[in-house]
Amino acid sequence: MSGLKNRWVHSSGASVGIILRLVYVGVQISMDMANETRGKNSWECIRTLRLDSVQTDRDDPSQSLVTAPFGHASQEIVNLLLCGQAVAHVFDGRMDLGGGMFLKGISTNVEVGFLTLLESLNFCKVGQYLKCPKWPIWVVGSESHYTVLFALDTSVQDENEFETRETQIRRAFDAQDQSGGGGFISVEGFHLVLKETSINLPPEKLDHLCSSGFIVWSEFWQVLLDLDKNLGGLKDSTGLMGKKVFDLYHFNGIAKSDLNGCQVSSGGETPVQRPRLTKLRVSVPPRWTPEEFMADVKLPGDSSSKDAVVEVTKPEPSQHVPLVDCIRTRWPRATCNWFGDPPSIA
């Protein structure tokens, strides 16, 4: 890890001490529920706070903070370690269920974020506070335990004009979403979103979106991609806004077989068992769908084209493991490549 530590010195002028300490915090959270202490560090954290303040944060104080029989941490413990509040959910703010009942989510910016495989399976929706932490470090939740994903360059979190605008609109939309991250809102909430984000939809498009009595994010998003910027939309004929290529690192503290490093014994070669650190090259394509992007590209042999032929370079074949699904909850449609043993979140 000494080589990685040296590279932090050149990372956007960020404080090496702060970032390394936060990576260590993320590693400790990931290891805490996987080692023999069965959550000892989590309980040490709770003991430093007043128990009544922890109970106040929770939706249902009667439920156990540690689940039987293996002593796995509840989401409340994970959130307590990440943001200082023992709330049970990962969405932004709180959800109004009506009748004076609310579900509590994350209410403030955090320094270390959180991604989960459960979101890729549509079991939950992680909000922007946890997806976009102050530092590019995320605790990654799987079915069995926690690992850590991080970047050496803080600019992976930087947004261009396109992404900044999308984040603004998405946050306003999610604030009106009372479905638990289902991606749809009421017509009344939709008009509030349009007003807050200064979007001026043509009457025919507005009527079409509102015709079913609720607005689905995916349909709204497609309308925005075809709406001129002067009307508050995101239309970009080049299809290049939002394209990124960067590196991420994934650490799994549970010892795994290292297929690339074998020990020679009298019985032959045996895989080395050790924690795994994997470097991933992540490519995030334009926000357009492939069909929409290719529709604007002049292909060889197109008799209708009078312009110069544009050559399209095929991307490298991507690799896939469950971690990639987690990464795509943060960077939709991202593709990942790595050398050697695949990263494991199990």
Side-chain angles (χ1 to χ4, degrees):
M1 291 294 290
S2 60
L4 293 181
K5 182 177 179 180
N6 292 335
R7 291 187 62 184
W8 279 105
V9 177
H10 308 288
S11 178
S12 304
S15 168
V16 177
I18 291 176
I19 298 178
L20 288 179
R21 186 163 67 250
L22 290 173
V23 171
Y24 176 77
V25 168
V27 171
Q28 287 301 304
I29 294 174
S30 71
M31 292 294 292
D32 188 22
M33 295 305 130
N35 63 24
E36 61 184 6
T37 62
R38 299 298 187 193
K40 176 182 177 182
N41 293 336
S42 298
W43 286 114
E44 289 296 327
C45 176
I46 293 174
R47 285 174 56 188
T48 64
L49 302 171
R50 292 183 57 184
L51 184 58
D52 57 350
S53 67
V54 173
Q55 293 292 76
T56 300
D57 291 337
R58 306 177 66 199
D59 288 337
D60 186 358
S62 66
Q63 297 297 314
S64 174
L65 286 169
V66 177
T67 59
F70 302 110
H72 290 165
S74 66
Q75 189 62 45
E76 292 155 311
I77 287 182
V78 177
N79 288 343
L80 178 65
L81 295 174
L82 292 175
C83 71
Q85 294 181 316
V87 294
H89 304 281
V90 292
F91 50 72
D92 291 342
R94 64 178 188 173
M95 185 183 303
D96 187 356
L97 300 180
M101 298 179 62
F102 297 89
L103 296 179
K104 301 173 185 176
I106 308 300
S107 61
T108 184
N109 293 312
V110 298
E111 293 192 334
V112 176
F114 180 76
L115 302 175
T116 174
L117 184 64
L118 293 179
E119 180 172 3
S120 69
L121 300 173
N122 294 321
F123 284 111
C124 68
K125 176 69 176 177
V126 179
Q128 294 300 306
Y129 286 136
L130 289 176
K131 281 184 179 175
C132 304
K134 179 179 180 181
W135 305 103
I137 307 164
W138 296 265
V139 172
V140 179
S142 70
E143 306 101 318
S144 55
H145 80 122
Y146 301 95
T147 55
V148 179
L149 184 73
F150 62 96
L152 300 178
D153 186 354
T154 58
S155 67
V156 302
Q157 296 253 83
D158 293 347
E159 293 186 332
N160 57 30
E161 176 190 359
F162 187 93
E163 292 172 311
T164 299
R165 179 62 172 157
E166 180 195 0
T167 298
Q168 177 193 20
I169 298 172
R170 184 72 207 225
R171 181 161 288 180
F173 188 95
D174 287 346
Q176 300 297 327
D177 186 353
Q178 301 299 316
S179 66
F184 60 89
I185 62 177
S186 66
V187 173
E188 181 182 0
F190 183 54
H191 284 286
L192 293 176
V193 171
L194 297 180
K195 181 178 180 180
E196 181 180 343
T197 56
S198 301
I199 296 174
N200 185 17
L201 289 176
E204 63 277 9
K205 291 187 176 182
L206 180 62
D207 292 342
H208 174 72
L209 286 173
C210 297
S211 60
S212 62
F214 58 88
I215 290 78
V216 180
W217 167 258
S218 59
E219 296 179 358
F220 180 38
W221 174 247
Q222 291 300 319
V223 170
L224 290 175
L225 288 176
D226 196 42
L227 186 66
D228 289 335
K229 290 183 180 180
N230 61 349
L231 297 177
L234 298 163
K235 190 172 185 178
D236 171 33
S237 59
T238 68
L240 297 178
M241 295 182 70
K243 186 174 184 178
K244 288 184 175 181
V245 179
F246 53 88
D247 293 329
L248 294 176
Y249 292 83
H250 180 257
F251 177 76
N252 188 340
I254 291 183
K256 298 289 182 182
S257 296
D258 188 342
L259 303 180
N260 296 315
C262 296
Q263 293 177 333
V264 179
S265 63
S266 57
E269 293 185 350
T270 58
V272 175
Q273 294 284 329
R274 59 188 177 191
R276 185 174 297 174
L277 177 65
T278 307
K279 178 181 178 180
L280 301 95
R281 171 53 61 98
V282 180
S283 301
V284 183
R287 301 300 181 91
W288 300 74
T289 65
E291 292 78 11
E292 290 170 327
F293 179 70
M294 293 302 296
D296 291 333
V297 176
K298 308 295 185 181
L299 297 177
D302 185 353
S303 59
S304 63
S305 172
K306 297 181 180 179
D307 301 325
V309 172
V310 178
E311 294 185 1
V312 180
T313 302
K314 289 186 177 181
E316 294 183 7
S318 62
Q319 297 165 280
H320 186 270
V321 290
L323 175 63
V324 176
D325 294 326
C326 298
I327 292 173
R328 285 174 178 166
T329 65
R330 171 62 178 84
W331 291 280
R333 299 179 60 236
T335 59
C336 299
N337 296 90
W338 57 85
F339 293 103
D341 299 295
S344 171
I345 60 175

